Amino acid sequence: MKEITLKEFDGYKYIYGGVCAARGFRAGGVYAGIKKPANDDPNATHKNDLGMIQSDVLCNAAAVYTQNKVKGAPIVVTKQNLAATGGKARAVIVNSKNANTCNADGEQKAQRMCELTAKALGCKPQEVIVASTGVIGQILPIEPIEKAMPMLVMSLCVSNNDAAAEAIMTTDTFPKQVAVEFELDGKACHLGGMAKGSGMIHPNMATTLNFITTDCAVSSEMLQKALSDVVKITYNCLSIDGDQSTNDMVALMSSGMAENDEITAEGADYDTFKQALYIVMMNLTRMLAKDGEGATKLIECTVAGAKDDDTAKVIAKSVICSSLFKAAVFGEDANWGRILCAVGYAEADFDITQVDVSIGSEYAMIEVCKNGAGVEFSEEEAAKALSRDEIYVQISVGNGDGNATAWGCDLTYDYVKINGDYRT
Amino acid sequence: MKEITLKEFDGYKYIYGGVCAARGFRAGGVYAGIKKPANDDPNATHKNDLGMIQSDVLCNAAAVYTQNKVKGAPIVVTKQNLAATGGKARAVIVNSKNANTCNADGEQKAQRMCELTAKALGCKPQEVIVASTGVIGQILPIEPIEKAMPMLVMSLCVSNNDAAAEAIMTTDTFPKQVAVEFELDGKACHLGGMAKGSGMIHPNMATTLNFITTDCAVSSEMLQKALSDVVKITYNCLSIDGDQSTNDMVALMSSGMAENDEITAEGADYDTFKQALYIVMMNLTRMLAKDGEGATKLIECTVAGAKDDDTAKVIAKSVICSSLFKAAVFGEDANWGRILCAVGYAEADFDITQVDVSIGSEYAMIEVCKNGAGVEFSEEEAAKALSRDEIYVQISVGNGDGNATAWGCDLTYDYVKINGDYRT
């Protein structure tokens, strides 16, 4: 697994367990065979393609979805379900290998997945969150899911967050999970999540598939508010390839089993909870960036001194999305002109003659541009810094209070290779 | 040289000569040594890096420029010059290998290039259009240009449009030139141009470096109007990599030596001239797409049935810009779900359930999606069509009158390779 730097935050402790870290949640995953393997070698091992998260109690729940006009059928069904229950959920069912998108029978199949789950777990179909990821425009075979359901439910018994995290992977090279422990009203609370990458990632209002569970008691309304706010400064500041998926969804469920006083309004408790959500989502964002398709390096771009946060965000995302800069990072070439070029075409209001740029690693930042013009720097030091696998770009655009961070990755031969023959 | 399909238009004949096809224009190019070669092999051959276009008479002139906030110094100086003369020009001086951008002494150097040209040709510095392309943020050495000036002026004597076209190339694999002949008032008129690619191309109001000459008599005002209109449906519908350059410029000069009645207003003559400009710029656009960095295939995406042309253009450009679709074209994979995904995230107003998509070559178009959902098609036929090197995508989004075409190229290993070590 690629190493990732987890940043420390006072009062929050990183723990194991992913979506099972919070009390009341179990998870599991199995290989259902949703896509026929290329050859029928009976000894072949298969990665999981069907996952489930179950809560012991009915949870408060919230979600955000892709803004793509083409929406996967599971998105439509999950929206309907959460509306029907007024923001309550008991379980998540999710498959990889097929997005169930652009199919005439898509909604029917997504509903069938909810029914199968409800029957197996003894809840209502409307209490199920359903999600799919994989190839667009191929009919989803429902038989493998039906057949795998007993084994999937059995897999919940060992509460295996790793099996579930594997089941949502597509071109990911490692499963992505983070969990934290924090305290509210003297009670230990837990919040953890899992996410899948790693291509078609350029979120708007949500990204990719992402499931977060907590035992911290929070109303559905405040869950939605926190999720909508945090997604703006985490996933929505991530771009792997500029392509916004049809199946993006982030779902957040609270079992309330930490037994803190339920958070129903803004205030100190809400802020503590929201910070936990930020820590988990920010770290998952960094993992998604680091594991971008074909990526060898994480790029973190911070913009400060803008007139407001939105301006800073537009500039940071412009840099993260530049194919030319991404290719230069792959080549470990301190070609800062491409950073300035991307800053220059960002649709934002700032003075280009005030722009300073530094580039490097967490060990050494090197100033390459001051007031919009190049400054002398040691190419040797820059090459050394760029040989690291987490690359930082710091940009200052003036004296304003606005700042933002965006995350991306380098553009490599392997991105092209992976996407030249994804369907085969 | 990569083959490119030239489309036929009644009343217009393709001719040789590029920027020298129109009467009154000479061009030339030399190797000045603006960038030191990596080794000093005395037998090494060098591609030209300094070019010139000269007119025998003072021309009416017009130009459009990059909208990037970071503007190359030559852009600033050319703007000033055309404003000072009220849209008149005698010559173009242009170098590759160095963009003269983000340098403290940039404008001074660009002005010096105008002075050197004016002195050599016997005109005013303000009558010179200056342009540079290459690496951003490195000081432009002026000595090689000073030394090369006598040889450059001598090279004009043989009126060598090929030498000039070579001088503006950066990562281009072939020079890009088109010229046409047409008739006005019984007089033969000529219009020709040259352009450079092939990366950092995502134009907005202009693209890359592009020089067009004509002997058709047109006022500066009408030159500007035609250029601004035509650039919208040609270069501004082109994307290689989503990166908008700092040094984009299209300059258009008219010697008037065809002796037609000068075009000073809209009407039939203006339309005839504007169509010639469209043919040349559209073909140069296709050449730029085909020669995109690392590209193996041209992609032409046509959108019809939109509520207006702008809506169609947003959708067509969204498809052309999708890294995932571009990689699929490289892999000759009919992964139409990625087309629909890109259509879906286009910020435009249309009904996704009305969307039909066909993909193929000029020999065979294959319907892959009807009313927003997949239809059965022969993968074998699709693979055969996608093995061609000019790929067409036809999208219908409804019954409106709006349509547009956009051009791009596939995303390949070589794009990454070229841009991983561009500076070295």
Side-chain angles (χ1 to χ4, degrees):
Chain A
M1 169 169 161
K2 295 180 187 175
E3 289 293 322
I4 191 102
T5 314
L6 294 177
K7 301 184 173 181
E8 294 303 317
F9 292 85
D10 279 350
Y12 297 84
K13 193 173 77 178
Y14 289 108
I15 54 173
Y16 289 98
V19 291
C20 297
R23 264 164 287 182
F25 293 96
R26 301 158 190 276
V30 295
Y31 169 71
I34 288 166
K35 187 179 170 185
K36 280 256 161 52
N39 59 42
D40 284 333
D41 177 0
N43 297 316
T45 58
H46 299 291
K47 121 179 198 331
N48 292 345
D49 55 8
L50 189 65
M52 188 177 275
I53 305 171
Q54 182 210 8
S55 166
D56 292 342
V57 297
L58 189 61
C59 288
N60 291 335
V64 288
Y65 310 93
T66 184
Q67 295 299 301
N68 197 312
K69 281 192 189 66
V70 179
K71 288 190 206 319
I75 296 280
V76 176
V77 171
T78 295
K79 262 191 181 172
Q80 285 168 355
N81 286 355
L82 284 178
T85 57
K88 302 281 179 186
R90 270 294 295 278
V92 173
I93 177 95
V94 53
N95 71 277
S96 54
K97 297 288 181 196
N98 187 311
N100 191 17
T101 298
C102 297
N103 299 326
D105 68 351
E107 289 184 37
Q108 188 190 325
K109 294 276 176 70
Q111 262 153 0
R112 181 76 185 131
M113 285 172 72
C114 294
E115 284 159 16
L116 289 167
T117 306
K119 196 172 162 199
L121 301 180
C123 67
K124 296 179 191 156
Q126 290 79 9
E127 292 166 3
V128 177
I129 288 168
V130 58
S132 299
T133 180
V135 181
I136 297 170
Q138 290 186 355
I139 300 292
L140 176 71
I142 199 75
E143 300 75 21
I145 298 176
E146 287 171 344
K147 280 193 191 151
M149 199 53 72
M151 195 64 98
L152 181 61
V153 173
M154 270 178 60
S155 80
L156 295 175
C157 300
V158 292
S159 193
N160 192 337
N161 55 290
D162 293 332
E166 184 188 302
I168 61 172
M169 288 165 65
T170 49
T171 51
D172 305 65
T173 65
F174 62 87
K176 291 155 194 76
Q177 306 181 77
V178 188
V180 291
E181 184 177 301
F182 58 104
E183 210 171 275
L184 266 184
D185 310 327
K187 307 281 168 60
C189 296
H190 310 85
L191 187 147
M194 65 184 195
K196 72 155 285 280
S198 56
M200 205 177 274
I201 293 187
H202 182 79
N204 187 12
M205 294 308 291
T207 184
T208 177
L209 290 185
N210 188 224
F211 305 102
I212 302 166
T213 59
T214 185
D215 45 27
C216 183
V218 188
S219 70
S220 298
E221 192 183 279
M222 297 315 285
L223 283 179
Q224 186 68 53
K225 183 171 168 47
L227 181 60
S228 297
D229 279 0
V230 173
V231 81
K232 281 183 203 152
I233 54 170
T234 54
Y235 298 139
N236 284 5
C237 290
L238 165 69
S239 186
I240 303 296
D241 53 14
D243 279 289
Q244 183 191 339
S245 162
T246 53
N247 285 48
D248 285 348
M249 180 198 298
V250 185
L252 170 59
M253 295 167 71
S254 153
S255 70
M257 291 175 78
E259 300 187 334
N260 59 303
D261 294 339
E262 185 174 276
I263 297 168
T264 56
E266 292 191 56
D269 284 4
Y270 173 77
D271 291 343
T272 302
F273 163 74
K274 189 174 161 184
Q275 177 70 355
L277 187 62
Y278 170 76
I279 294 169
V280 165
M281 288 174 70
M282 183 272 287
N283 276 299
L284 287 171
T285 301
R286 286 172 56 89
M287 287 181 188
L288 288 166
K290 188 137 188 177
D291 198 27
E293 281 178 340
T296 67
K297 292 173 194 290
L298 164 73
I299 306 173
E300 179 170 307
C301 177
T302 305
V303 173
K307 67 173 189 171
D308 51 41
D309 289 354
D310 282 348
T311 301
K313 187 166 149 181
V314 168
I315 298 166
K317 286 195 77 168
S318 186
V319 171
I320 285 300
C321 290
S322 161
S323 294
L324 284 168
F325 176 58
K326 287 154 63 86
V329 171
F330 173 58
E332 301 182 355
D333 177 9
N335 195 336
W336 62 270
R338 292 181 180 169
I339 299 175
L340 217 65
C341 177
V343 169
Y345 62 68
E347 291 193 10
D349 179 22
F350 61 95
D351 178 0
I352 195 75
T353 67
Q354 300 265 307
V355 172
D356 304 337
V357 179
S358 295
I359 183 166
S361 69
E362 62 180 311
Y363 305 102
M365 291 301 293
I366 294 142
E367 189 180 58
V368 291
C369 170
K370 183 95 191 155
N371 297 327
V375 294
E376 278 199 52
F377 63 93
S378 156
E379 290 278 356
E380 198 182 343
E381 270 180 47
K384 195 174 156 197
L386 292 177
S387 71
R388 302 268 169 192
D389 63 354
E390 297 188 7
I391 305 302
Y392 294 84
V393 180
Q394 286 172 354
I395 300 171
S396 170
V397 299
N399 299 314
D401 293 329
N403 61 72
T405 302
W407 296 272
C409 61
D410 55 346
L411 175 63
T412 70
Y413 298 130
D414 280 352
Y415 177 86
V416 178
K417 183 171 180 192
I418 292 165
N419 288 299
D421 61 354
Y422 176 68
R423 290 195 317 162
T424 51
Chain B
M1 169 168 162
K2 296 180 187 175
E3 289 293 323
I4 190 102
T5 314
L6 294 178
K7 300 183 174 180
E8 293 303 317
F9 292 86
D10 280 350
Y12 296 85
K13 192 173 78 179
Y14 288 107
I15 55 173
Y16 288 98
V19 290
C20 296
R23 265 166 286 182
F25 293 96
R26 301 159 190 275
V30 296
Y31 170 69
I34 288 167
K35 188 179 172 186
K36 280 254 162 52
N39 59 42
D40 283 333
D41 178 1
N43 297 317
T45 56
H46 299 292
K47 125 183 195 327
N48 291 346
D49 56 8
L50 189 65
M52 188 178 274
I53 305 172
Q54 181 210 7
S55 166
D56 292 342
V57 297
L58 190 62
C59 288
N60 291 335
V64 289
Y65 311 93
T66 184
Q67 295 299 300
N68 196 312
K69 281 193 189 65
V70 179
K71 289 190 206 318
I75 296 280
V76 177
V77 171
T78 295
K79 262 190 181 172
Q80 286 169 354
N81 286 355
L82 285 178
T85 58
K88 303 280 177 185
R90 271 292 297 278
V92 173
I93 176 95
V94 52
N95 72 277
S96 55
K97 298 287 182 194
N98 187 312
N100 192 18
T101 298
C102 298
N103 299 327
D105 67 351
E107 290 184 36
Q108 188 189 326
K109 294 277 177 69
Q111 261 152 3
R112 180 75 186 132
M113 285 173 71
C114 294
E115 284 159 15
L116 289 167
T117 305
K119 195 173 161 196
L121 301 180
C123 67
K124 295 180 192 157
Q126 290 78 11
E127 293 166 2
V128 178
I129 289 168
V130 57
S132 300
T133 180
V135 181
I136 298 171
Q138 291 186 355
I139 300 293
L140 175 71
I142 199 76
E143 301 75 22
I145 297 175
E146 288 171 343
K147 280 190 192 154
M149 198 54 71
M151 196 65 99
L152 180 61
V153 172
M154 270 179 60
S155 79
L156 295 175
C157 300
V158 293
S159 194
N160 192 337
N161 56 289
D162 293 333
E166 185 187 305
I168 61 172
M169 289 165 65
T170 49
T171 51
D172 306 65
T173 66
F174 62 87
K176 291 157 193 73
Q177 305 181 78
V178 188
V180 291
E181 184 177 301
F182 58 103
E183 210 170 276
L184 265 183
D185 310 327
K187 306 282 168 60
C189 296
H190 309 85
L191 187 146
M194 64 183 195
K196 72 155 284 280
S198 54
M200 204 177 274
I201 293 185
H202 182 78
N204 186 12
M205 294 309 292
T207 182
T208 178
L209 289 186
N210 188 227
F211 305 101
I212 301 167
T213 59
T214 185
D215 44 28
C216 181
V218 189
S219 70
S220 298
E221 193 183 279
M222 297 314 285
L223 284 179
Q224 186 69 52
K225 183 172 168 48
L227 182 59
S228 298
D229 279 359
V230 173
V231 81
K232 282 183 203 152
I233 53 170
T234 54
Y235 298 139
N236 284 4
C237 290
L238 165 70
S239 187
I240 303 296
D241 53 14
D243 277 289
Q244 183 191 337
S245 163
T246 53
N247 285 47
D248 285 350
M249 181 199 296
V250 185
L252 170 59
M253 294 166 71
S254 153
S255 69
M257 291 175 78
E259 300 188 332
N260 58 304
D261 294 337
E262 185 174 274
I263 298 168
T264 56
E266 292 191 57
D269 285 4
Y270 174 77
D271 291 344
T272 303
F273 164 74
K274 189 175 161 184
Q275 177 70 356
L277 188 62
Y278 170 75
I279 294 168
V280 166
M281 289 174 69
M282 183 271 287
N283 277 298
L284 287 171
T285 301
R286 286 172 57 89
M287 287 181 189
L288 289 166
K290 188 138 190 177
D291 199 27
E293 281 178 340
T296 67
K297 292 172 194 290
L298 165 72
I299 307 174
E300 179 170 307
C301 176
T302 304
V303 173
K307 67 172 190 172
D308 51 42
D309 289 354
D310 281 348
T311 300
K313 187 166 150 181
V314 168
I315 298 166
K317 286 196 76 167
S318 186
V319 172
I320 285 299
C321 290
S322 161
S323 293
L324 284 168
F325 176 58
K326 288 154 62 83
V329 170
F330 174 57
E332 302 182 355
D333 177 10
N335 195 335
W336 62 269
R338 292 182 180 169
I339 299 175
L340 217 65
C341 177
V343 168
Y345 63 67
E347 292 193 8
D349 179 23
F350 61 95
D351 179 359
I352 195 76
T353 67
Q354 299 265 307
V355 173
D356 305 337
V357 179
S358 295
I359 182 165
S361 70
E362 62 180 311
Y363 305 103
M365 291 301 292
I366 294 141
E367 189 179 58
V368 290
C369 170
K370 183 94 190 155
N371 297 328
V375 294
E376 279 198 52
F377 63 92
S378 156
E379 289 277 355
E380 198 182 344
E381 271 179 48
K384 196 174 156 196
L386 292 177
S387 71
R388 302 267 170 192
D389 64 353
E390 297 189 7
I391 304 302
Y392 294 84
V393 180
Q394 286 171 355
I395 300 170
S396 171
V397 299
N399 300 313
D401 293 329
N403 61 71
T405 302
W407 296 273
C409 61
D410 56 346
L411 176 62
T412 70
Y413 298 128
D414 280 351
Y415 177 84
V416 178
K417 184 171 180 192
I418 291 165
N419 287 299
D421 61 355
Y422 176 67
R423 290 195 316 161
T424 51

